[in-house]
Amino acid sequence: MLGHLYSLQKFQSIQISEISHFFLTNLTRLCCYHRPFTILHTAMFFFGLLTCYLLTTCLLPGTTATSRADPDIDLININDIYGPGHVNTRCQNKICPVYTVQDVGLPSVIEVRDYQDSYWVSTTYYEPINGSCIEGEAMRALYIQLYNFYKGVNTMGLLIDRTLPVRVMRQFNREDNKNYCYTMFYLPEIYSMNPPAPLSVEIFMGYNYRKRCYTLQVKGRFSWKRATRLHEALLKFLKKKKITTTTNSDIILDIYTGYGVPLEEKYAEVLICDENVSYK
C-alpha cells in the first residue's frame, strides 16, 4: 500500500513540476516581451511565482520525481502507533516480537518481559560515531540495505511487511576491547520456517533465543546518550535488587517512531536482557 502511495505521489509530483514549468515560462514571456510593462504585469508575474511555489511545496510536501524508495517512509507514516501499555498496542497494524509480561515485584516503570525465540534480520557490525550507534553514514547505508531486504532485495524477491521495532544494539567485543553496533528488524514468525536469504553480504539472518528483558520506556525526545544513561541507571537498580544478567554491557534501544513524528508522540524502549532465565 505504501508502495502504491509513493508511486502516485511520484506521478503527481512530475505532473505538477511540468505544469509549474510551463506556467512560469509562459508567464515570463508574457511579462517580459510585452510592452508596456505595467503594474498589472508585475502583479501577474509575482502571483505566478507564488502559485508555482504552492504547487511544488504545499500540495505534495516531501515528494520528488524519483523512482527510488525512501527508507524512512514507513517510519514517517506511523504516527498512530504510540500509546500506553503493552507494546502490541503501540505496534497496532505492524508485527512485533511476541512476549509475555511477568510480575516479579519490580516498580511498574520497569516492565519484565519474557520473549520467545525469534528471527531478526541484522546488519553487519559498524563502529559508533561519537559513542552513538544511531548516527553516521555507515549506519545509514546499512539501514537502507536492511530496508531493501523487506522490499524484495532477497533470494526469493519476496515483499515482507515492515515490522517494529527498529532495534539498535551496542555490544562490547572483549577481543579488541571495542564497542560495535548492529541495527536489526524483526522477522515475522510466518517466514521462520523458510526465510529468504539476503543478497547483500552486509545483511544476515540472526536467531534470538528466548530471554527475559527488563524494559524502560523512553517517551519524548530520545538519543543514544539518553539511552546509555537509562541503561546505566537500570543496571544499577537491578544490581541493588540482586538481579544479575548475562548481557550487562549490551545496550538495546528499540525504536518505535521515527522522523516526522511529533515530539510528544516519540517513543522508544531501553532493554537489558538475560538469556539464562528459564521459563515456559
Side-chain angles (χ1 to χ4, degrees):
M1 182 174 179
L2 285 174
H4 292 301
L5 175 62
Y6 188 83
S7 298
L8 177 61
Q9 288 178 333
K10 171 195 169 186
F11 172 77
Q12 291 175 330
S13 179
I14 295 173
Q15 291 283 333
I16 289 177
S17 178
E18 291 177 349
I19 293 171
S20 301
H21 178 72
F22 174 82
F23 183 64
L24 186 58
T25 301
N26 286 277
L27 186 62
T28 304
R29 290 173 179 172
L30 174 66
C31 294
C32 296
Y33 294 101
H34 286 76
R35 296 293 187 270
F37 192 77
T38 64
I39 295 176
L40 177 60
H41 287 115
T42 304
M44 291 175 60
F45 181 78
F46 283 103
F47 177 78
L49 288 177
L50 178 62
T51 303
C52 292
Y53 173 80
L54 293 174
L55 283 172
T56 55
T57 60
C58 296
L59 294 183
L60 284 175
T63 57
T64 57
T66 175
S67 60
R68 293 188 61 186
D70 180 0
D72 291 327
I73 195 168
D74 282 346
L75 296 179
I76 292 173
N77 289 289
I78 56 175
N79 297 340
D80 58 340
I81 68 170
Y82 175 82
H86 197 279
V87 69
N88 287 339
T89 302
R90 292 184 290 275
C91 293
Q92 293 194 12
N93 63 337
K94 292 186 182 292
I95 303 173
C96 290
V98 177
Y99 66 81
T100 55
V101 178
Q102 303 297 329
D103 184 2
V104 296
L106 294 180
S108 59
V109 294
I110 302 174
E111 190 169 73
V112 182
R113 303 172 182 171
D114 287 344
Y115 282 90
Q116 300 298 322
D117 297 344
S118 59
Y119 280 95
W120 291 73
V121 186
S122 174
T123 67
T124 187
Y125 73 87
Y126 55 95
E127 295 190 21
I129 302 296
N130 298 323
S132 173
C133 289
I134 55 176
E135 298 178 17
E137 291 300 321
M139 186 271 180
R140 173 73 177 180
L142 289 170
Y143 176 87
I144 291 175
Q145 292 189 49
L146 199 59
Y147 174 87
N148 287 338
F149 171 84
Y150 280 72
K151 292 301 180 183
V153 185
N154 53 63
T155 53
M156 297 182 183
L158 189 65
L159 295 174
I160 302 173
D161 290 336
R162 272 297 311 277
T163 60
L164 287 175
V166 175
R167 175 166 290 182
V168 183
M169 182 168 61
R170 190 200 72 185
Q171 286 187 326
F172 179 73
N173 188 342
R174 291 182 176 83
E175 294 182 1
D176 57 6
N177 293 323
K178 294 179 64 175
N179 288 313
Y180 292 100
C181 307
Y182 303 85
T183 299
M184 56 191 74
F185 295 162
Y186 171 65
L187 187 68
E189 187 177 0
I190 189 174
Y191 303 107
S192 61
M193 296 300 294
N194 186 27
L199 294 178
S200 170
V201 296
E202 295 182 306
I203 304 298
F204 64 92
M205 304 293 297
Y207 185 79
N208 278 6
Y209 292 95
R210 57 176 57 191
K211 60 186 65 176
R212 172 162 292 177
C213 294
Y214 303 87
T215 307
L216 278 178
Q217 298 181 354
V218 187
K219 297 181 179 180
R221 188 185 306 278
F222 58 82
S223 64
W224 192 257
K225 186 176 183 179
R226 187 181 179 192
T228 301
R229 289 177 176 174
L230 288 172
H231 174 268
E232 293 172 352
L234 179 57
L235 188 60
K236 185 177 181 180
F237 178 83
L238 293 177
K239 286 182 177 179
K240 281 186 177 180
K241 294 295 183 180
K242 297 181 180 180
I243 299 174
T244 58
T245 63
T246 57
T247 57
N248 290 350
S249 61
D250 295 351
I251 298 178
I252 301 175
L253 179 65
D254 281 356
I255 302 172
Y256 289 87
T257 54
Y259 306 108
V261 178
L263 179 60
E264 64 274 11
E265 296 183 4
K266 286 185 176 294
Y267 184 84
E269 294 174 344
V270 174
L271 291 78
I272 294 179
C273 298
D274 188 359
E275 294 181 353
N276 287 344
V277 176
S278 298
Y279 62 89
K280 294 183 180 180

